Amino acid sequence: MNDQQLLDLVKQMTREEKIAQLLQLTGAFYEGFHDKELLTGPRAELGVSEETVNASGSALNLSGAKTAIQVQETYLKKNRLGIPLLIMADVVHGYKTIFPIPLAIGCSWDLPLAEQSAEIAARESAVSGIHVTFSPMVDLVRDPRWGRVMESTGEDPFLNSLYARAFVRGYQGQDLKGDKERLAACVKHFAAYGAPEGGREYNTVDMSERNLRESYLPGYKAAVEEGATMVMASFNTVDGIPASGNEKLMRGILRGEWGFDGVIISDWASIREMIAHGASEDDREAALRAIRAGIDIEMMTPCYVHHLDDLVNEGEIEENQIDEAVLRILQLKEKLGLFEQPHRAADPERENEVILSADHRKAAYELAVKSSVLLKNDGTLPLRAHSKVALVGPYAETNSILGWWSCEGNPQDATPLAPALRERMQEGKLSVASCGIETITGGELADMLEATESADVLVVALGEAAEMSGEGAARTNIQLPKAQLELVRRLKATGKPLAAVLFNGRPLDLAGLFEEADAVLEAWFPGTEGGAAIADLLLGRVNPSGRLSMSFPQSVGQVPVYYNHYSTGRPLKAGSDERYVSKYIDSPNEPLLPFGFGLSYTSFEYGELLVSSDRMTKEEPLTVQVTVTNTGQRAGIETVQLYVRDLSGEVVRPVRELKAFTRLSLQPGESGTAVFTLHEEQLRYHHSDLSFTSDPGAFRLYAGPNSRDTQEVAFQLIT
Ligand code: GLC
């Protein structure tokens, strides 16, 4: 149907039907839904009638081809005008084939593979009856106390934007209507949900508009530019106004400046929560503020259903404000082809063919390998072929390695580390003993120490429980559980080489582990194929290539600590013992591990950083190149990173900003050259008047393997 036909359809709808179209309910409200209700927010008595349910516009947390077909068939029989139900879900890093958590994917710096993971997630979800995914989450994060950093791709606006685009392309493809096995992408959480004070879940977000635009909005903007069909409003306030009622944010920036004409959905209950925020007296006022802000769909609360009719009758809003929201929802259903094919790609046969297929598992394996980061290694890794290995710790034998937002993923489909290692090692060379995540019994400890007795090398698999990460899991102490640190101490005391593997959803404070272990491999929550991937990494069948997309602090006391910080008027100079400078008296300023950091089993040597000129103009970009040689004994991937610093801006500028990177795959002895072209546009930033331009003046260029260990060259921008 074209827009005129859709408008005609809106005209046929009663006001009640139009208002019901703006309501989203969980699958449990629909006849034919028979799975366990998946609650991703507080359960509330909604007080909605059966008529309203039959006219509601969309459902969430409903999937499975048979269920989706059954629900849609039943629904269409009851919907007076035969308007199909839109089905949405949190497919965040996979549907049944679970990929590493997004923060891990953010460490892969492999954008094609990230895109492929989204395409696979879309395919598995679409044949299971899902039409829209609440993904990508592109909230920029700088505070690992926040549990949802696991859902983000990290602390850099540029890198996050590249991932945002890759995920949207992977989910949506080029033709949502023609390619039924794709998903409409809903970018979230708009905006700046990743900056809650204290890292505390759902806490206040407060920053200058300039900082919001400079650091936090780019990821959402990139997703919208890439064609994301939906945007989800965030729970938090932006400049004192909850996003779900923030006209400036939604109608001013998102729709006005960026031209977004798709559907905006609230987060779970975020419209009603304006009351708790203190921004609305009651559901009626919350409904008024949200519809005025342009929120089209209300997720799991009845403010619209209970009050929009009165608000029109009382002249508070025009009926066409409801009509515009309904039209956008119908346009999305049309874009997905639901009017012609209400079941879209739902197909039990296809489900059996594509879900957890060998190809999908292979892609999940590859991404788990690429997302792992070697944080420390004195040569203990890779494990030697003939070594006797003891694998101990809470993550030695568990298949709970999928992460918090693992959707329909099933740990039973994942192979734990122990069997994966056993399968790859000689008979009798591996002893295994495991324990709890937060408590270790005397018996477990005894078994683990016994397992180490005959071993040449110890591997301890540690980490957070999945529920210590994700939504509602902010932590003030981001260390490993005390019992695990005691285990590390006991293992260290054996005097044997000790390699640690970490399964976690945030940068941790690694006190008690980082110094004690001889090698540390960050596996994150690596997903369905994580066991095989980590086993191959430990055995050196594959070479780690991950680079951190979020800094690891020395301690939680440093947080927030991130690479693209400002200099201050009294920057701490390396080696200085000056008192009156920006520093701590009990900790370094620098994080334990910086953005972009990651080791390899081989070594790379950088040649001289060469720049085409010491000056750049709008018309004449700079060409930057550096040759890198693999000086080790095995093939490896080096991610060469290019950073810039504007030495004198109209407002202060970060000491480093990632502007480009390239991944060089080099054989032993082989050299490769990373070549970058730096344009004037890449030096633009938001000024105090919010204009987005560059300034002539002095700059620095940095290139290297991470944001810290770089070569530096000066250049001028001349205009
Ligand atoms: C949750 C999350 C959001 C998710 C939604 C639906 O509260 O904040 O990311 O998409 O509810 O599950």
Side-chain angles (χ1 to χ4, degrees):
M1 281 193 275
N2 62 34
D3 277 358
Q4 189 49 55
Q5 290 166 315
L6 292 173
L7 275 168
D8 293 344
L9 179 53
V10 173
K11 288 195 179 86
Q12 295 174 51
M13 295 166 78
T14 66
R15 189 185 294 172
E16 286 68 27
E17 288 169 332
K18 290 191 279 191
I19 293 170
Q21 192 65 216
L22 312 187
L23 175 62
Q24 180 171 97
L25 298 168
T26 59
F29 283 82
Y30 299 91
E31 198 182 323
F33 177 85
H34 46 66
D35 299 352
K36 185 176 69 61
E37 182 175 23
L38 174 64
L39 277 180
T40 52
R43 187 87 173 87
E45 270 322 302
L46 300 183
V48 295
S49 67
E50 190 183 339
E51 290 70 31
T52 299
V53 174
N54 294 340
S56 59
S58 59
L60 79 156
N61 297 347
L62 181 165
S63 71
K66 285 199 181 72
T67 300
I69 290 168
Q70 168 73 49
V71 166
Q72 188 74 274
E73 272 172 358
T74 312
Y75 174 88
L76 282 171
K77 286 188 189 113
K78 297 177 180 175
N79 186 283
R80 184 176 71 87
L81 292 168
I83 300 171
L85 184 68
L86 199 49
I87 297 173
M88 308 189 189
D90 293 288
V91 182
V92 176
H93 53 105
Y95 176 69
K96 288 271 189 188
T97 302
I98 302 302
F99 293 90
I101 56 173
L103 186 58
I105 296 175
C107 296
S108 72
W109 299 54
D110 189 330
L111 294 161
L113 202 45
E115 181 171 338
Q116 187 191 3
S117 75
E119 180 180 350
I120 288 170
R123 203 160 298 292
E124 293 195 354
S125 309
V127 300
S128 305
I130 297 170
H131 308 141
V132 180
T133 177
F134 298 128
S135 180
M137 185 275 216
V138 299
D139 303 337
L140 184 116
V141 291
R142 292 172 166 166
D143 190 331
R145 291 172 294 182
W146 191 46
R148 299 191 77 165
V149 299
M150 52 76 57
E151 268 180 276
S152 163
T153 47
E155 68 191 43
D156 181 76
F158 168 72
L159 190 59
N160 286 354
S161 300
L162 295 178
Y163 279 114
R165 292 179 185 276
F167 288 136
V168 169
R169 285 195 303 270
Y171 288 132
Q172 299 193 158
Q174 297 308 315
D175 170 15
L176 262 182
K177 194 166 189 175
D179 183 350
K180 295 275 181 286
E181 294 186 354
R182 297 282 185 160
L183 291 178
C186 176
V187 61
K188 67 188 184 183
H189 304 81
F190 192 66
Y193 177 21
E197 283 179 4
R200 196 179 83 216
E201 184 60 284
Y202 313 128
N203 203 6
T204 301
V205 169
D206 202 23
M207 63 179 74
S208 68
E209 181 174 345
R210 202 190 58 73
N211 185 24
L212 176 73
R213 288 175 179 272
E214 184 70 17
S215 300
Y216 287 86
L217 293 190
Y220 310 108
K221 188 164 188 274
V224 167
E225 286 173 351
E226 202 65 32
T229 44
M230 275 182 66
V231 173
M232 182 185 289
S234 58
F235 290 118
N236 54 281
T237 52
V238 177
D239 203 6
I241 301 173
S244 298
N246 195 318
E247 285 188 60
K248 178 175 178 182
L249 190 64
M250 299 298 170
R251 289 198 187 275
I253 296 176
L254 180 59
R255 293 201 191 280
E257 289 180 34
W258 298 355
F260 179 69
D261 61 0
V263 172
I264 304 176
I265 186 171
S266 79
D267 202 336
W268 185 295
S270 66
I271 290 179
R272 171 173 275 177
E273 288 172 4
M274 283 198 271
I275 301 168
H277 269 293
S280 294
E281 254 185 61
D282 50 25
D283 281 359
R284 179 186 178 283
E285 187 180 359
L288 177 59
R289 294 197 72 166
I291 199 74
R292 281 181 172 162
I295 308 295
D296 300 312
I297 297 179
E298 177 176 13
M299 185 192 293
M300 278 301 283
T301 45
C303 303
Y304 278 5
V305 163
H306 289 167
H307 297 285
L308 285 185
D309 187 38
D310 293 344
L311 288 169
V312 173
N313 296 337
E314 292 151 16
E316 292 277 7
I317 60 171
E318 299 298 322
E319 180 142 10
N320 67 15
Q321 286 174 267
I322 296 172
D323 296 353
E324 75 170 48
V326 174
L327 180 62
R328 283 192 284 260
I329 295 166
L330 298 185
Q331 285 170 329
L332 177 54
K333 294 182 179 183
E334 169 55 29
K335 193 180 268 189
L336 287 159
L338 294 179
F339 287 100
E340 296 83 15
Q341 291 184 291
H343 301 310
R344 192 164 155 82
D347 178 340
E349 295 303 309
R350 280 292 288 161
E351 265 183 326
N352 296 332
E353 284 167 26
V354 303
I355 284 181
L356 286 162
S357 69
D359 287 351
H360 291 184
R361 282 181 176 271
K362 181 171 176 295
Y365 164 84
E366 213 183 308
L367 198 43
V369 168
K370 299 275 180 68
S371 305
S372 301
V373 188
L374 186 59
L375 302 181
K376 178 182 181 183
N377 188 27
D378 71 347
T380 296
L381 291 179
L383 301 172
R384 306 303 180 268
H386 307 296
S387 300
K388 293 195 74 171
V389 178
L391 170 63
V392 297
Y395 274 93
E397 299 183 272
T398 177
N399 53 18
S400 296
I401 55 176
L402 304 185
W404 177 255
W405 282 105
S406 48
C407 195
E408 292 296 316
N410 186 337
Q412 304 311 317
D413 299 322
T415 306
L417 179 54
L421 266 178
R422 192 172 288 118
E423 187 185 304
R424 289 161 170 78
M425 293 176 66
Q426 284 175 24
E427 186 75 28
K429 292 283 187 184
L430 178 69
S431 53
V432 179
S434 53
C435 62
I437 285 179
E438 298 197 70
T439 56
I440 299 177
T441 65
E444 288 169 333
L445 182 59
D447 290 347
M448 291 189 286
L449 293 175
E450 186 186 342
T452 66
E453 281 163 11
S454 61
D456 305 314
V457 59
L458 313 182
V459 177
V460 62
L462 304 165
E464 296 180 298
E467 58 275 9
M468 292 164 79
S469 163
E471 185 171 358
R475 295 178 63 196
T476 58
N477 173 351
I478 54 172
Q479 292 191 346
L480 287 164
K482 284 191 172 47
Q484 293 184 36
L485 295 177
E486 174 57 20
L487 171 61
V488 169
R489 204 183 60 71
R490 299 294 294 269
L491 296 173
K492 181 70 183 169
T494 66
K496 295 184 178 181
L498 175 63
V501 185
L502 291 173
F503 295 80
N504 48 298
R506 56 166 47 89
L508 295 172
D509 169 349
L510 295 178
L513 172 70
F514 196 73
E515 291 309 316
E516 289 69 9
D518 300 301
V520 181
L521 179 67
E522 175 58 73
W524 306 108
F525 288 112
T528 307
E529 290 299 319
I534 302 310
D536 283 345
L537 284 163
L538 290 173
L539 294 168
R541 294 183 175 194
V542 285
N543 188 358
S545 59
R547 297 289 182 269
L548 293 178
S549 64
M550 189 175 180
S551 306
F552 271 62
Q554 303 271 356
S555 76
V556 74
Q558 267 191 331
V559 168
V561 59
Y562 48 94
Y563 91 95
N564 39 8
H565 60 80
Y566 297 136
S567 171
T568 79
R570 294 189 175 183
L572 173 63
K573 293 191 171 43
S576 158
D577 59 1
E578 253 293 307
R579 180 181 180 85
Y580 301 107
V581 292
S582 179
K583 70 173 187 182
Y584 302 101
I585 59 172
D586 59 356
S587 163
N589 287 4
E590 296 310 312
L592 176 70
L593 300 164
F595 175 85
F597 180 86
L599 300 175
S600 170
Y601 290 150
T602 188
S603 53
F604 298 101
E605 202 167 283
Y606 279 66
E608 189 187 353
L609 179 58
L610 304 174
V611 190
S612 56
S613 167
D614 62 358
R615 57 192 53 213
M616 172 209 275
T617 66
K618 281 190 187 339
E619 297 70 37
E620 293 152 48
L622 282 186
T623 302
V624 186
Q625 65 181 56
V626 60
T627 298
V628 179
T629 302
N630 179 343
T631 51
Q633 305 305 312
R634 52 183 300 143
I637 295 174
E638 176 65 342
T639 301
V640 183
Q641 300 154 41
L642 180 72
Y643 296 88
V644 163
R645 179 181 182 180
D646 183 344
L647 293 181
S648 168
E650 187 258 351
V651 295
V652 294
R653 311 287 299 114
V655 294
R656 288 274 197 292
E657 287 180 277
L658 180 70
K659 293 298 178 186
F661 63 89
T662 187
R663 302 170 74 243
L664 298 177
S665 181
L666 299 172
Q667 293 302 317
E670 184 184 6
S671 294
T673 301
V675 183
F676 304 102
T677 302
L678 187 68
H679 297 272
E680 174 271 335
E681 294 85 9
Q682 292 172 275
L683 306 181
R684 296 179 186 171
Y685 65 94
H686 291 88
H687 288 56
S688 56
D689 64 357
L690 302 183
S691 61
F692 189 69
T693 57
S694 62
D695 300 328
F699 287 79
R700 291 288 184 273
L701 258 181
Y702 305 89
N706 58 63
S707 58
R708 176 191 66 197
D709 309 319
T710 51
Q711 293 181 67
E712 176 182 334
V713 168
F715 72 92
Q716 293 277 334
L717 174 62
I718 317 287
T719 50

